[in-house]
Amino acid sequence: MTRFLTDAAKAAKAIRAELKAIGVKARVKSQTYSGGDSVDVYVTDLTPELEQQVQTICKKYQEGHF
């Protein structure tokens, strides 16, 4: 049986991998619901430089904003 990943789950997986590559430990969670989907990224204790890198990585995967 093959596991199917939603687009949100694929984005969460990619974000998690990119954050790990720069040494940021984060919790990345995706949700899918009737009105769409979302990806939440949780990090703590970031320097301003790392925070900017995290925001840059996450913005690459943003498709909309409401």
Side-chain angles (χ1 to χ4, degrees):
M1 184 171 171
T2 321
R3 185 174 173 196
F4 173 75
L5 293 178
T6 64
D7 288 339
K10 289 175 187 175
K13 186 176 180 180
I15 291 169
R16 192 178 300 110
E18 286 195 49
L19 292 177
K20 186 176 181 180
I22 64 170
V24 174
K25 190 172 184 176
R27 186 170 62 118
V28 184
K29 183 176 93 171
S30 66
Q31 289 183 308
T32 302
Y33 39 89
S34 63
D37 51 28
S38 66
V39 176
D40 298 317
V41 180
Y42 301 94
V43 293
T44 58
D45 300 327
L46 290 179
T47 64
E49 296 82 22
L50 275 179
E51 183 178 354
Q52 184 62 39
Q53 286 181 310
V54 169
Q55 289 180 1
T56 301
I57 289 170
C58 293
K59 284 181 183 179
K60 291 191 302 187
Y61 298 95
Q62 183 176 352
E63 291 185 14
H65 181 74
F66 301 94

